[in-house]
Amino acid sequence: MLRMGKLTDYGIVLMSYLATNRHEQHSAHAIADAVKVPLPTVRKVLKSLSHGGLLQSERGVAGGYSLSRMPEQISVAEIITAIEGPIALTECVSSESHCEQETHCAVQTNWTRINNAVFHALDEVKLSDMLVPQNTSGLSPIKFYSSAAAMSNATIQDGEFHD
């Protein structure tokens, strides 16, 4: 089973809160209260997001955390990478692989392709997309393309894909 860690899930929740309220600085205490996540967990996640370059932090009375870029410029892949490290579905696609089968593995190339597809799908989903609720018809603002052919038929206008 593929599953993000709980800290990554919290990271997306924290980033979504900051994106929704992006015109002000937020203390770790205020964020923890707003999203109902324990303060030590919030501090740990904020530290990872800051080290990943996704947040700016300022010390002092008027200090706090804010997004380093607009929500349209931050991808879900970046958030995951900031908290969990590079996205790697299997050992052999990791930069620190220790798999003894790697030198003679017949499926390694395919795992690399699959890993790249997952990364690119997550990279296409922006933080701003996470803020838009699913509409009543059940359609999501997040679009995925099942093949390169479908992707090649799409056009890009103002940074968005159109069928």
Side-chain angles (χ1 to χ4, degrees):
M1 172 185 295
L2 296 173
R3 183 179 294 206
M4 287 186 316
K6 191 171 275 199
L7 291 179
T8 302
D9 187 21
Y10 290 152
I12 293 171
V13 169
L14 299 181
M15 292 291 287
S16 296
Y17 173 78
L18 291 169
T20 302
N21 303 283
R22 68 177 175 264
H23 300 293
E24 54 193 79
Q25 298 278 352
H26 302 274
S27 70
H29 289 278
I31 296 168
D33 288 344
V35 299
K36 310 289 188 250
V37 173
L39 181 59
T41 303
V42 168
R43 284 187 173 142
K44 182 176 184 173
V45 173
L46 290 172
K47 183 177 179 181
S48 294
L49 294 168
S50 294
H51 284 296
L54 301 176
L55 295 179
Q56 294 177 336
S57 63
E58 291 187 32
R59 294 180 182 261
V61 177
Y65 292 90
S66 62
L67 297 180
S68 63
R69 293 175 278 162
M70 297 297 290
E72 299 80 10
Q73 299 171 328
I74 298 173
S75 74
V76 169
E78 289 179 284
I79 298 169
I80 294 170
T81 300
I83 297 171
E84 297 203 21
I87 295 169
L89 299 178
T90 61
E91 178 82 17
C92 63
V93 295
S94 169
S95 60
E96 299 175 7
S97 176
H98 301 290
C99 178
E100 58 246 12
Q101 305 297 319
E102 193 170 355
T103 59
H104 58 275
C105 180
V107 297
Q108 180 179 3
T109 304
N110 291 320
W111 275 120
T112 300
R113 290 180 61 217
I114 292 166
N115 194 80
N116 289 342
V118 169
F119 174 82
H120 289 299
L122 292 169
D123 198 45
E124 283 182 21
V125 180
K126 303 302 179 190
L127 180 58
S128 57
D129 296 326
M130 299 299 286
L131 305 178
V132 179
Q134 189 168 325
N135 65 29
T136 55
S137 68
L139 296 176
S140 171
I142 301 169
K143 292 185 179 186
F144 292 102
Y145 295 91
S146 60
S147 69
M151 184 76 169
S152 67
N153 291 332
T155 59
I156 300 174
Q157 183 178 9
D158 299 324
E160 293 184 4
F161 288 102
H162 300 277
D163 297 324

